[in-house]
Amino acid sequence: MKNLIANFGLTFSIKKTVVIKISSGFNYLKRRYLFAGNEGIKCIISGDGMARERRKVKRLYLSLKSRGLNIMPIYDSILAWSAELLKINDIIQVREMILWYIKLIII
């Protein structure tokens, strides 16, 4: 494997690289990739990615609220995040994120 990718000028870390069955899925760039049978590979946002986004939005909300500023940047952030999720057809995560946003603003 090392020689194969060396032909392309690439290297990988032996400590961090693991060869796995595609059926067990893997994480890459904050996304989870799963084998979905006839549908091919399905990409979803990892749980850590969702948690990071929620923390970011909550910090932004608290910062804006404490200064008495408009909370529209939060809405913009949610829309951008939702658009990214819709690109990979993750409607369930979009729904959860919007419901969480509504609870944050109402409380």
Side-chain angles (χ1 to χ4, degrees):
M1 182 71 103
K2 191 174 183 178
N3 294 333
L4 179 66
I5 68 167
N7 293 334
F8 298 101
L10 302 172
T11 61
F12 63 86
S13 169
I14 299 203
K15 291 179 182 178
K16 294 191 258 179
T17 304
V18 179
V19 177
I20 60 166
K21 289 183 178 181
I22 195 73
S23 60
S24 62
F26 60 94
N27 291 332
Y28 181 68
L29 297 175
K30 300 179 187 175
R31 294 198 173 140
R32 179 89 181 142
Y33 293 87
L34 302 168
F35 181 67
N38 293 337
E39 297 174 30
I41 306 245
K42 182 178 179 185
C43 173
I44 59 173
I45 301 294
S46 69
D48 291 343
M50 286 297 292
R52 269 191 301 277
E53 181 64 18
R54 286 181 177 173
R55 283 193 298 270
K56 180 182 104 178
V57 168
K58 192 167 190 174
R59 278 193 309 270
L60 178 61
Y61 171 74
L62 294 174
S63 173
L64 294 173
K65 187 178 175 186
S66 70
R67 292 188 240 155
L69 299 174
N70 188 349
I71 59 171
M72 278 309 288
I74 297 169
Y75 180 70
D76 294 338
S77 179
I78 296 294
L79 285 181
W81 184 251
S82 297
E84 186 66 26
L85 290 169
L86 289 173
K87 283 182 193 174
I88 58 172
N89 250 353
D90 203 342
I91 295 168
I92 294 170
Q93 292 282 7
V94 170
R95 181 179 171 273
E96 287 178 10
M97 194 68 175
I98 291 172
L99 289 174
W100 177 84
Y101 167 72
I102 291 168
K103 287 177 189 174
L104 175 71
I105 300 304
I106 291 174
I107 292 175

